[in-house]
């Protein structure tokens, strides 16, 4: 094992989110992995408390008294939804919302990504995206930039895995994964104080394609 590999392994061990689903994939060169994981560690060690938790608390104060918000998923039903009706609403958009953005004359209030594969694949677009407040788990800082419009938060594996789900009521302290970014958005929306949280394009039906191989 080279010194660079050892350095990377030590960085991985030093952060709380060190499962493979929270880490850089093999697409990322080793030098970039090291640089990115140093930034992740710095956020966990200092900037979560000094910078990002205060920013989340300010957002909570800002939206206090705002009754409702809308979480926009990426399910097929979104193609049959008139999104123009949401222009003046508080909205959370996620992941592949960029596919719809060019058809709209408004931008979402918040934009959320939690999956490292989405973040890596779309990092150039995500880092350039301007308009919404971007809310990302701290572990994605290895490929997503820190900037004035971005808030990183403490997103951790759910403690009830694999038999249950966890829902944090204090997103400035912690949020939990839950198989879908929608669950993350709901925890953030609850913390910001919205009383009515509407889900759009969050489809509950899914058929496994016939050509997909399944293990018993």
């Amino acid at each position: 094992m080279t010194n660079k590999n050892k350095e990377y392994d030590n960085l991985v061990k030093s952060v709380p989110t060190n499962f493979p689903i929270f880490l850089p994939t093999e697409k990322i060169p080793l030098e970039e992995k090291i640089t990115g994981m140093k930034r992740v560690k710095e956020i966990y060690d200092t900037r979560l408390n000094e910078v990002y938790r205060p920013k989340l608390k300010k957002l909570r104060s800002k939206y206090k008294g705002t009754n409702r918000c809308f979480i926009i998923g990426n399910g097929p039903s979104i193609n049959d939804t008139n999104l123009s009706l949401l222009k003046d609403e508080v909205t959370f958009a996620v992941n592949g919302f960029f596919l719809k953005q060019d058809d709209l004359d408004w931008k979402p209030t918040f934009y959320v990504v939690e999956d490292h594969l989405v973040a890596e694949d779309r990092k150039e677009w995500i880092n350039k995206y301007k308009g919404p407040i971007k809310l990302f788990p701290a572990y994605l800082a290895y490929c997503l930039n820190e900037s004035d419009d971005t808030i990183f938060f403490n997103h951790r594996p759910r403690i009830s895995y694999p038999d249950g789900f966890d829902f944090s009521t204090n997103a400035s302290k912690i949020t939990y994964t839950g198989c879908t970014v929608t669950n993350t958005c709901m925890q953030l929306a609850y913390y910001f104080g919205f009383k009515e949280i509407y889900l759009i394009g969050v489809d509950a039906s899914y058929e496994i394609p016939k050509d997909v191989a399944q293990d018993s």
Side-chain angles (χ1 to χ4, degrees):
M1 180 181 289
T2 67
N3 289 336
K4 289 294 184 182
N5 289 117
K6 288 180 181 178
E7 182 180 8
Y8 176 70
D9 287 347
N10 287 333
L11 283 166
V12 168
K13 292 174 183 176
S14 72
V15 299
T17 43
N18 49 30
F19 294 108
I21 60 171
F22 305 124
L23 298 173
T25 70
E26 292 307 311
K27 293 191 223 177
I28 307 294
L30 181 57
E31 287 286 352
E32 289 184 25
K33 286 183 178 182
I34 291 172
T35 300
M37 289 305 295
K38 283 181 178 178
R39 187 162 59 246
V40 170
K41 177 174 169 52
E42 289 168 359
I43 289 175
Y44 275 122
D45 288 349
T46 61
R47 290 196 286 280
L48 267 183
N49 280 327
E50 295 176 2
V51 178
Y52 294 118
R53 284 191 170 110
K55 284 188 173 184
L56 282 173
K57 291 175 181 178
K58 284 184 179 180
L59 281 179
R60 188 183 191 194
S61 297
K62 177 179 179 180
Y63 287 97
K64 183 178 181 180
T66 303
N67 190 54
R68 69 181 186 180
C69 71
F70 295 79
I71 296 173
I72 307 170
N74 295 131
S77 65
I78 202 70
N79 295 317
D80 301 319
T81 302
N82 183 2
L83 296 178
S84 67
L85 298 174
L86 299 178
K87 182 174 183 178
D88 297 318
E89 300 284 354
V90 176
T91 51
F92 289 76
V94 302
N95 296 348
F97 186 77
F98 57 87
L99 296 172
K100 286 290 183 183
Q101 187 64 80
D102 289 344
D103 298 329
L104 303 172
D105 63 351
W106 57 273
K107 289 187 176 180
T109 315
F110 304 105
Y111 175 71
V112 185
V113 173
E114 71 167 24
D115 189 299
H116 70 155
L117 299 180
V118 174
E120 284 189 18
D121 288 345
R122 303 294 181 178
K123 63 182 179 181
E124 291 186 10
W125 182 89
I126 294 171
N127 285 327
K128 291 179 180 177
Y129 190 33
K130 298 299 178 184
I133 298 169
K134 294 184 277 191
L135 301 167
F136 304 137
Y139 57 76
L140 291 183
Y142 75 85
C143 65
L144 300 182
N145 295 339
E146 294 185 86
S147 60
D148 291 340
D149 62 356
T150 301
I151 299 175
F152 287 95
F153 57 94
N154 186 30
H155 198 47
R156 301 290 186 93
R158 66 186 192 265
I159 55 180
S160 298
Y161 179 87
D163 299 318
F165 293 88
D166 303 288
F167 190 96
S168 170
T169 59
N170 186 354
S172 70
K173 181 179 180 181
I174 193 170
T175 56
Y176 298 104
T177 59
C179 299
T180 170
V181 67
T182 304
N183 187 56
T184 304
C185 290
M186 288 192 291
Q187 292 172 79
L188 290 163
Y190 182 92
Y191 174 71
F192 292 156
F194 299 112
K195 303 294 189 240
E196 299 176 10
I197 301 172
Y198 296 92
L199 306 184
I200 295 175
V202 181
D203 299 351
S205 60
Y206 177 76
E207 291 185 6
I208 299 175
K210 293 179 180 179
D211 59 349
V212 171
Q214 300 184 63
D215 292 330
S216 57

